[in-house]
Amino acid sequence: MSSAAAFSYAPLLPLGPDATEYRLVTDEGVDVVNGPGGRRFLTVEPAALTALTAEAMHDIAHFLRPAHLAQLRSILDDPAASPNDRFVALDLLRNANIAAGGVLPMCQDTGTAIVMGKRGRHVLTDGTDAEAIATGVYQAYTRLNLRYSQLAPLTMWEERNTGSNLPAQIDLYAEDPDGHPDAYKFLFMAKGGGSANKSYLYQETKALLNPTRMMRFLEEKLRLIGTSACPPYHLAIVIGGTSAEYALKTAKYASAKYLDSLPTHGSMSAHGFRDLELEAEVLELTRQFGIGAQFGGRYFCHDVRVVRLPRHGASCPVAIAVSCSADRQAVAKITPSGVWLERLETDPARFLPDVTDGQLESGSEVVRVDLNRPMAEIRAELSKYPVQTRLSLTGPLVVARDIAHAKIAERLDAGEPMPQYLRDHAVYYAGPAKTPEGYASGSFGPTTAGRMDAYVEKFQAAGGSLVMLAKGNRSAQVTRSCATHGGFYLGSIGGPAARLAQDCIKHVEVLEYPELGMEAVWKIEVEDFPAFIVVDDKGEDFFAEVTKPVLTIGRR
């Protein structure tokens, strides 16, 4: 073996200066005391950690970063954007404006609370930091109109909702943030199931590390993300890593723009860096997919982050993650001057354009569908139009998702008939957040359709689920079942849950399984509910076309 290189140390992820704009939350619960050796120590009370966490979880449920909103607005101003791109972007901007009122959260899946903290060596607490942070999560989720999504495993097979959205994922590190020993810095995230489920790990080899192979690999894998996580996405790709789990964690942080200040070139110190050239090439690749902002166009992604990490010579992990249209994260810090939280946009209306819906509908016919009609008539009406047709739905919908589908499948297996409500009505895959006082509904956007794919053939053969409404692409078996049984899958815009609750959902009642909480079977009345035909009764699938490769040349 050759002689060893001289020792040198560099953090794996060396970040540059913090350019975040902060706002003061409180100056209570923090103090500076003298310590041995003339050192000064920052003391932080548990109440300060709790207050910061509760405030952060409130803000990321209702507010977005100005840069994210500006990217949505830029879609409306881009003449190359498709009508569907612009329609989705406008709906998401309207949704942000409603959510900023502080009553309806921007998404009904208010997520798993994820907190990462770096505590400097001169920061003193009582050692119960994780508990104090969890208390703040508890306060936010129980006091606000947020949804409880966490399930406690009682046995290997039995689960029960915890009723508080705890536990949170809390990772704390002993590290001087930005070189400051008297600072405590945080990243707060709320990660919904849709985008969390679109985190991927691939164990590759050195053979991937050439431009042509890499671009072909990324085209194949990025198409698999589909639309069920609510694009346009902030896409992160990590190539390399000292372990598989480190690659995945880095991808999550990169999708939150937490690693934007990484160096842009590597060195023999073996630190991570961003490849800006590859970021631009991958972004352009995604704009050729045709998937767009959910229903066709250019804006599958807002932007791309590509991070290159060191690796063991026998391993080459590749991690992919997205942050969805509910781009929920904020950084924070506690310093001798107080408790500070990233300033998010509280006036998103300034990003709304002075345009009408009609200006955004050019070339896109909107078909109004009366859901009060018999199911046979609804299907006959839908059968007149091709996939990608925009719809406006008015009338009753039945709402059912994972657990309800499993229970109904058990009834069919036992020889019982399909419930009449699934024969008579279209089914909306969704689960509401808490209903604020004075509202007909809490935030109530669609959930990922693919989770119900396994039930479709059984249900349609029994006369139910002949018109389905949700977000994202479906499997080939759903397309075949719709062709066989005369069914339809309608895509709803993923993301604008607050706008749907305020403007489109007029009445909500429980039909069956009230003990399941948000997983119960509901009946809702909707008005001008936006949707698109994605799969029709002739076996046509909009997403089948946009999953075909477009790449014909390699990089450089």
Side-chain angles (χ1 to χ4, degrees):
M1 296 180 65
S2 60
S3 59
F7 174 80
S8 66
Y9 173 78
L12 275 176
L13 297 171
L15 299 181
D18 182 3
T20 305
E21 181 182 354
Y22 291 94
R23 66 177 182 86
L24 182 66
V25 175
T26 181
D27 57 7
E28 297 181 359
V30 296
D31 197 6
V32 177
V33 299
N34 293 320
R39 289 181 292 175
R40 303 274 286 172
F41 288 83
L42 174 67
T43 63
V44 180
E45 298 295 328
L49 293 171
T50 297
L52 173 59
T53 302
E55 188 79 0
M57 300 314 296
H58 166 274
D59 280 14
I60 63 178
H62 291 283
F63 307 129
L64 292 159
R65 286 172 167 157
H68 175 85
L69 293 163
Q71 287 175 307
L72 284 173
R73 172 58 191 266
S74 71
I75 296 174
L76 301 181
D77 297 333
D78 182 0
S82 72
N84 287 341
D85 280 336
R86 291 194 290 271
F87 179 72
V88 170
L90 180 61
D91 222 33
L92 292 172
L93 283 171
R94 288 170 169 166
N95 187 70
N97 193 50
I98 293 168
V103 177
L104 293 166
M106 68 184 74
C107 179
Q108 80 287 343
D109 184 349
T110 48
T112 297
I114 299 174
V115 184
M116 186 271 286
K118 297 178 179 179
R119 190 175 80 179
R121 65 185 185 276
H122 289 174
V123 177
L124 302 178
T125 70
D126 69 356
T128 62
D129 300 30
E131 182 178 352
I133 290 167
T135 302
V137 172
Y138 174 85
Q139 290 180 358
Y141 276 84
T142 55
R143 295 174 182 176
L144 302 173
N145 297 309
L146 309 184
R147 196 176 85 184
Y148 308 144
S149 299
Q150 305 306 309
L151 302 177
L154 304 182
T155 69
M156 180 59 73
W157 322 118
E158 182 185 1
E159 299 174 309
R160 189 172 303 164
N161 195 298
T162 63
S164 64
N165 213 56
L166 292 177
Q169 178 182 316
I170 302 170
D171 300 317
L172 302 177
Y173 300 90
E175 177 181 332
D176 290 351
D178 303 327
H180 297 293
D182 60 348
Y184 204 159
K185 299 195 75 172
F186 300 90
L187 171 65
F188 293 95
M189 304 178 70
K191 199 70 173 172
S195 62
N197 292 345
K198 296 303 178 181
S199 297
Y200 294 100
L201 174 70
Y202 302 97
Q203 296 284 19
E204 297 299 316
T205 68
K206 165 68 175 173
L208 184 66
L209 299 180
N210 72 74
T212 300
R213 284 287 300 273
M214 180 62 72
M215 291 299 282
R216 288 177 177 168
F217 169 86
L218 290 176
E219 174 172 21
E220 175 190 349
K221 304 307 182 187
L222 296 180
R223 288 179 179 276
L224 295 177
I225 296 174
T227 61
S228 60
C230 306
Y233 298 128
H234 300 281
L235 171 66
I237 302 165
V238 174
I239 300 161
T242 49
S243 65
E245 63 270 23
Y246 194 82
L248 281 166
K249 180 170 67 173
T250 302
K252 178 176 286 187
Y253 292 161
S255 72
K257 282 73 71 182
Y258 183 75
L259 304 179
D260 276 10
S261 61
L262 281 175
T264 55
H265 300 282
S267 76
M268 286 305 295
S269 296
H271 57 75
F273 66 90
R274 287 178 62 187
D275 185 329
L276 302 184
E277 181 181 357
L278 188 52
E279 289 178 2
E281 292 179 357
V282 173
L283 179 60
E284 182 55 35
L285 175 67
T286 66
R287 292 189 170 172
Q288 298 176 45
F289 287 172
I291 299 173
Q294 306 188 29
F295 300 104
R298 287 169 46 84
Y299 282 94
F300 186 61
C301 294
H302 284 302
D303 48 41
V304 177
R305 302 292 186 271
V306 176
V307 177
R308 181 67 158 90
L309 292 178
R311 67 183 185 92
H312 185 285
S315 302
C316 186
V318 177
I320 297 173
V322 297
S323 183
C324 66
S325 59
D327 188 40
R328 295 173 295 195
Q329 58 264 324
V331 295
K333 63 182 179 179
I334 302 177
T335 69
S337 61
V339 178
W340 300 84
L341 179 61
E342 181 177 357
R343 186 182 297 279
L344 302 180
E345 181 58 65
T346 58
D347 183 25
R350 67 188 181 92
F351 292 93
L352 283 167
D354 295 324
V355 298
T356 65
D357 285 353
Q359 289 173 284
L360 295 177
E361 292 170 4
S362 57
S364 179
E365 179 187 9
V366 180
V367 176
R368 303 195 177 278
V369 178
D370 182 2
L371 299 175
N372 291 290
R373 298 162 67 186
M375 178 55 64
E377 294 184 16
I378 294 172
R379 292 160 58 201
E381 178 69 14
L382 293 174
S383 191
K384 299 175 182 177
Y385 302 98
V387 294
Q388 205 174 352
T389 298
R390 272 185 54 195
L391 308 173
S392 177
L393 310 177
T394 297
L397 289 169
V398 167
V399 180
R401 43 180 280 160
D402 306 62
I403 298 178
H405 274 70
K407 286 184 173 293
I408 293 168
E410 290 174 358
R411 289 158 59 173
L412 294 178
D413 290 340
E416 297 180 33
M418 172 64 64
Q420 194 64 37
Y421 53 73
L422 281 182
R423 292 174 173 270
D424 294 342
H425 302 293
V427 59
Y428 178 37
Y429 303 158
K434 284 183 281 188
T435 300
E437 185 175 353
Y439 284 71
S441 168
S443 292
F444 210 156
T447 198
T448 303
R451 296 205 309 272
M452 268 55 73
D453 282 5
Y455 302 104
V456 172
E457 167 63 30
K458 180 191 293 285
F459 282 27
Q460 290 190 338
S465 295
L466 291 170
V467 177
M468 303 163 287
L469 176 66
K471 67 174 181 177
N473 43 304
R474 308 297 297 261
S475 64
Q477 71 188 73
V478 172
T479 302
R480 290 193 297 268
S481 181
C482 286
T484 300
H485 300 289
F488 295 84
Y489 166 55
L490 312 180
S492 178
I493 301 173
R499 195 193 76 77
L500 293 175
Q502 176 178 284
D503 298 340
C504 300
I505 300 175
K506 303 304 180 182
H507 179 73
V508 176
E509 62 180 286
V510 176
L511 279 183
E512 195 169 16
Y513 305 123
E515 71 277 8
L516 298 181
M518 68 92 175
E519 291 261 14
V521 176
W522 307 79
K523 184 177 181 181
I524 64 175
E525 291 285 337
V526 301
E527 184 177 299
D528 295 329
F529 194 106
F532 294 75
I533 300 177
V534 176
V535 177
D536 68 12
D537 58 346
K538 306 166 191 68
E540 296 294 324
D541 177 2
F542 161 69
F543 286 108
E545 182 65 28
V546 297
T547 55
K548 295 177 181 177
V550 298
L551 192 64
T552 56
I553 58 173
R555 185 187 180 204
R556 300 192 185 99

